Amino acid sequence: MTQVTVWNEFRHERHNDTVAEVYPEGIHTVIADALSEAGFETQTATLDEPDHGLTEAVLDDTDVLTWWGHAAHDEVQDEIVDRVCERVREGMGLLVLHSGHYSKPFTQLMGTSCSLKWREAAETERLWVVEPGHPIADGLDEYIELDNAEMYGERFDIPAPDTLVFTSWFEGGEVFRSGCCYQRGNGRIFYFRPGHETYPIYHDESIQQVLANSVAWAAPGDGPTPKFGNSEPIEVIDESDDRTVH
Amino acid sequence: MTQVTVWNEFRHERHNDTVAEVYPEGIHTVIADALSEAGFETQTATLDEPDHGLTEAVLDDTDVLTWWGHAAHDEVQDEIVDRVCERVREGMGLLVLHSGHYSKPFTQLMGTSCSLKWREAAETERLWVVEPGHPIADGLDEYIELDNAEMYGERFDIPAPDTLVFTSWFEGGEVFRSGCCYQRGNGRIFYFRPGHETYPIYHDESIQQVLANSVAWAAPGDGPTPKFGNSEPIEVIDESDDRTVH
Amino acid sequence: MTQVTVWNEFRHERHNDTVAEVYPEGIHTVIADALSEAGFETQTATLDEPDHGLTEAVLDDTDVLTWWGHAAHDEVQDEIVDRVCERVREGMGLLVLHSGHYSKPFTQLMGTSCSLKWREAAETERLWVVEPGHPIADGLDEYIELDNAEMYGERFDIPAPDTLVFTSWFEGGEVFRSGCCYQRGNGRIFYFRPGHETYPIYHDESIQQVLANSVAWAAPGDGPTPKFGNSEPIEVIDESDDRTVH
Amino acid sequence: MTQVTVWNEFRHERHNDTVAEVYPEGIHTVIADALSEAGFETQTATLDEPDHGLTEAVLDDTDVLTWWGHAAHDEVQDEIVDRVCERVREGMGLLVLHSGHYSKPFTQLMGTSCSLKWREAAETERLWVVEPGHPIADGLDEYIELDNAEMYGERFDIPAPDTLVFTSWFEGGEVFRSGCCYQRGNGRIFYFRPGHETYPIYHDESIQQVLANSVAWAAPGDGPTPKFGNSEPIEVIDESDDRTVH
């Protein structure tokens, strides 16, 4: 059974009343509950726990990690970030949510700034499925509509996704690549745009369906573990001119 | 006219006689000469110069940077690495050569380990053009053959390239994605595999053709500079339910 | 100098007054003039000419073919379609415009239905540059705005583009992948969405810039012509167990 | 449970003794048996059956179709080819095997010639896993080695695959992109190179593992069925300048 660790910065919910009303027990609790109901084994971890709740033991036991952060990206220790990225390369799935675009694990794994345009104006967002045959679109309609969303607009400074599943339309006139699949090392990464802390996005049924689909998609397989480094030839080769100097 | 800065670690050539015989004035000199003859404006920079020769002024004046490093990746200062990566995202082209796969700029821009298998056995490499319509393949035959090459073998732990131009065959039984194009930010990156310091690879005419082609391909264009951050709506929107809290 | 052949169905302009007012001498004339001014050698060809104006001689002399069709896709003879597709695979560039998404050459080269949603309601379209480092975005702002456009909406049933340059926002609530690059054989293909016959889209300066950029991008290179079929081994192989039966 | 239809030309096995020794009951029987054992519901269909065994009823009941053909591609009726391609666009998976690269369904879905180099010389092939995190690589070692294989060499005239899973090394000096994933419409396509009729390739355990993995990967999901054609606006739009003429 796929083990999911739901990570949350968990600051807004404790310090801001508007957010606390929408997510009284934290964004992570709502996400973890939705994923449990979808049949995954879930646990949560938050920034202010020791090791941010992401000890070696926890990560070794995690098939897919979901990441929500916003105001305290800088407080995530580099050692833990490296640990997360290393686990992704080994095969752990990573689901990066909304403002997690600026998180250290995501920007480190992408190699770009992951910058974008944004605006908080409670405007309509419509996520169009542009790749309906992708497993992450299972069970969805042609689009998901959110009445009140923060806007994220292009240019989104990411590497072109391996697969683009969703593209968002915003009332204010922008578009955004809002569902982006990546393979990095042996691990699969999905960036999913919606999820601002002041709107009840993670309570939405379609959004929960995408979360479940993307966890299933990102769960590690059983592919070969690459061997790196100095390597004996498989075939007989002519080494008569070998100038090896190291 | 495209301005190229040819960067070289420039250590092997000064400390190892075998290498010095092949590249008496350094790998950078051979590459810079080849690119000059191909019509580019070139300058060189090396590790042991102040700022590794890569001051802000030099990089501001560079359209395409080529990178050869091997034994001293760790000695490249992080500040300079950040400067290089920032310039790539702004549009500067980057040509990463051979053992540069493990360089800080390349691994930082890729977000993966960039590990691979390797072997020094003076074996035959044959670089097959798998995308003959790509500009980097201009003027080439169906393959480039190198009698004596270091082997690099898959799994090469990189993001799948945007375009794969070359795939190498090795006498010892391995294959390798040896010509890989990436877009990162506004900049183009080409990784090109051949170029071990003990073989006269950069004296080869076809290899020089690829270097020239890839510099031309990676030269920055004149596309829009993205604007990031808080952004006014273009269309009139209904903000009646705006829960903005920041 | 790059030779461009501008192909047009050229029926609407002759039979419909609204269209004739916008394009009195045909869409092809406006496109050809714009490309001439951008420095390309241009000629035109239309459906009702013999061979639709696309004789072997014309195509052999064409570096990039642009294609506008709408109401008479079926009247394009299969033999000419095959001739066009063959030339693309040999290296000729192909620029497919607007309703050309349903043309025989495009659907044959894509292998999909190329279906989409559409609506004629003179609504606003905003083409966002999502890949500002691509040569087709040279000289543009962050977006192109068209006050009156036909809507094309996702799902657009195409293979995921090799590079997605533009994504459109529409007033009515849809998005569209409106600038799509493909490599097919040795040839480059660019699909560009805007261009409805009743709106003066091809008179727009930014649209003309994109046409010029995409022609430059699609112009054939000088890569190797692949050799196909039975092939002698390059290396010595052990054929002792050869069970060849043909 | 995933329903697989294993299609085979089934001529060589009936007319050639060498082939009959390797596949006495036909290539399809060996493949179907392997897939049954892997837990799939299987049936077979062959060229010389009415409708080539691919009636509407059979295809409607097929989740994944596997295709092996070689000497009689031309005898496959265009109507059946269109039926197969249509089903792929609707979501049916398609697994194209070996010489099926020249089959009508594959070339129609790719839009390219799908030509390649070939040689029958019972030489060694080594299929390297270049994307170990892909589900099709599950349970494999770093490479699959085949002692006796027909050679297929680059340039393979296909669209660049969405994901490249395998790259082959051949004793005679060539390489080949031998495991290629595509999304076309709602359907997934996997091209898998090995499988010459005179070598017992489909009896190989690793090859059977890949067949099973790729069937599982290609099985249709439950994504939205796109709606195409004229479409009402979702948002209120200003139609005051509507020049609709159709």
Side-chain angles (χ1 to χ4, degrees), chain B residues 138-172:
Chain B
D138 276 0
L140 300 180
D141 291 330
E142 282 204 283
Y143 59 82
I144 299 170
E145 191 166 314
L146 301 169
D147 284 344
N148 293 298
E150 185 185 19
M151 185 282 294
Y152 280 7
E154 296 282 345
R155 161 64 171 179
F156 184 18
D157 181 25
I158 47 170
D162 297 340
T163 310
L164 178 65
V165 183
F166 300 104
T167 296
S168 284
W169 177 99
F170 287 97
E171 194 180 346

Side-chain angles (χ1 to χ4, degrees), chain D residues 1-21:
Chain D
M1 191 189 235
T2 302
Q3 309 276 337
V4 185
T5 301
V6 177
W7 193 87
N8 184 14
E9 193 178 281
F10 197 32
R11 291 270 177 88
H12 292 308
E13 302 95 321
R14 292 187 290 146
H15 303 137
N16 180 291
D17 290 347
T18 311
V19 179
E21 261 176 60

Side-chain angles (χ1 to χ4, degrees), chain C residues 48-66:
Chain C
D48 292 326
E49 297 173 46
D51 270 21
H52 314 317
L54 299 173
T55 59
E56 299 260 10
V58 165
L59 286 177
D60 285 352
D61 212 41
T62 300
D63 293 314
V64 180
L65 176 68
T66 78

Side-chain angles (χ1 to χ4, degrees), chain C residues 1-227:
Chain C
M1 193 189 235
T2 301
Q3 309 275 338
V4 186
T5 301
V6 177
W7 193 88
N8 185 14
E9 195 178 280
F10 196 33
R11 290 270 176 88
H12 293 308
E13 301 94 323
R14 291 186 291 147
H15 303 137
N16 181 291
D17 289 348
T18 311
V19 180
E21 261 176 60
V22 186
Y23 297 108
E25 293 171 84
I27 283 175
H28 54 294
T29 308
V30 173
I31 294 175
D33 286 354
L35 292 175
S36 290
E37 245 174 81
F40 301 102
E41 195 86 31
T42 61
Q43 58 183 331
T44 64
T46 57
L47 180 65
D48 292 326
E49 297 173 46
D51 270 21
H52 314 317
L54 299 173
T55 59
E56 299 260 10
V58 165
L59 286 177
D60 285 352
D61 212 41
T62 300
D63 293 314
V64 180
L65 176 68
T66 78
W67 193 278
W68 198 101
H70 180 210
H73 293 314
D74 284 352
E75 295 181 44
V76 181
Q77 302 163 51
D78 289 340
E79 190 196 333
I80 308 297
V81 172
D82 290 344
R83 194 182 285 168
V84 165
C85 292
E86 187 55 31
R87 278 285 296 133
V88 170
R89 290 182 202 114
E90 284 170 21
M92 183 182 73
L94 179 66
L95 178 47
V96 178
L97 297 169
H98 190 62
S99 42
H101 72 92
Y102 258 152
S103 66
K104 288 183 181 177
F106 189 60
T107 53
Q108 187 178 119
L109 287 160
M110 294 295 103
T112 59
S113 74
C114 302
S115 295
L116 44 75
K117 290 185 178 58
W118 61 271
R119 176 176 61 241
E120 288 184 277
E123 67 199 277
T124 302
E125 174 180 13
R126 190 170 294 109
L127 294 109
W128 286 92
V129 175
V130 296
E131 206 59 85
H134 194 278
I136 290 179
D138 276 1
L140 300 180
D141 290 332
E142 282 204 281
Y143 59 82
I144 300 171
E145 191 166 312
L146 300 170
D147 284 343
N148 293 299
E150 184 185 21
M151 185 282 294
Y152 280 7
E154 295 283 347
R155 158 66 171 181
F156 185 17
D157 181 25
I158 46 169
D162 297 341
T163 310
L164 177 66
V165 183
F166 299 104
T167 296
S168 284
W169 178 99
F170 287 98
E171 195 181 346
E174 291 86 358
V175 297
F176 196 74
R177 289 169 291 171
S178 48
C180 300
C181 300
Y182 296 95
Q183 180 82 41
R184 288 297 181 268
N186 275 29
R188 291 169 208 143
I189 302 170
F190 184 61
Y191 173 78
F192 188 49
R193 197 212 81 81
H196 194 53
E197 66 274 11
T198 56
Y199 310 120
I201 306 286
Y202 296 121
H203 295 280
D204 182 281
E205 207 172 299
S206 295
I207 297 295
Q208 291 186 355
Q209 176 81 56
V210 174
L211 296 179
N213 289 348
S214 53
V215 163
W217 170 82
D222 180 31
T225 301
K227 294 181 199 86

Side-chain angles (χ1 to χ4, degrees), chain A residues 126 133 138-139 186 188 222 235, chain D residues 126 132-133 138-139 188 222 235:
Chain A
R126 191 170 294 110
D138 276 0
N186 275 29
R188 292 169 208 142
D222 180 30
E235 305 283 327
Chain D
R126 190 171 295 110
D138 276 0
R188 290 167 209 143
D222 180 30
E235 305 283 326

Side-chain angles (χ1 to χ4, degrees), chain A residues 124 126 128-129 131-135 137-143 145 162 169 171 183 185-188 220-228 234-235, chain D residues 124 126 128-129 131-135 137-143 145 162 169 171 183 185-188 220-228 234-235:
Chain A
T124 302
R126 191 170 294 110
W128 287 92
V129 175
E131 205 58 87
H134 194 277
D138 276 0
L140 301 180
D141 291 330
E142 282 203 281
Y143 59 82
E145 190 166 314
D162 297 340
W169 177 99
E171 195 181 346
Q183 181 81 42
N186 275 29
R188 292 169 208 142
D222 180 30
T225 301
K227 294 180 199 86
F228 299 122
I234 305 167
E235 305 283 327
Chain D
T124 301
R126 190 171 295 110
W128 286 92
V129 175
E131 206 58 84
H134 194 277
D138 276 0
L140 300 181
D141 290 331
E142 282 203 281
Y143 60 82
E145 190 166 314
D162 297 340
W169 177 100
E171 196 181 345
Q183 181 81 41
N186 274 29
R188 290 167 209 143
D222 180 30
T225 301
K227 294 180 199 87
F228 299 123
I234 305 168
E235 305 283 326

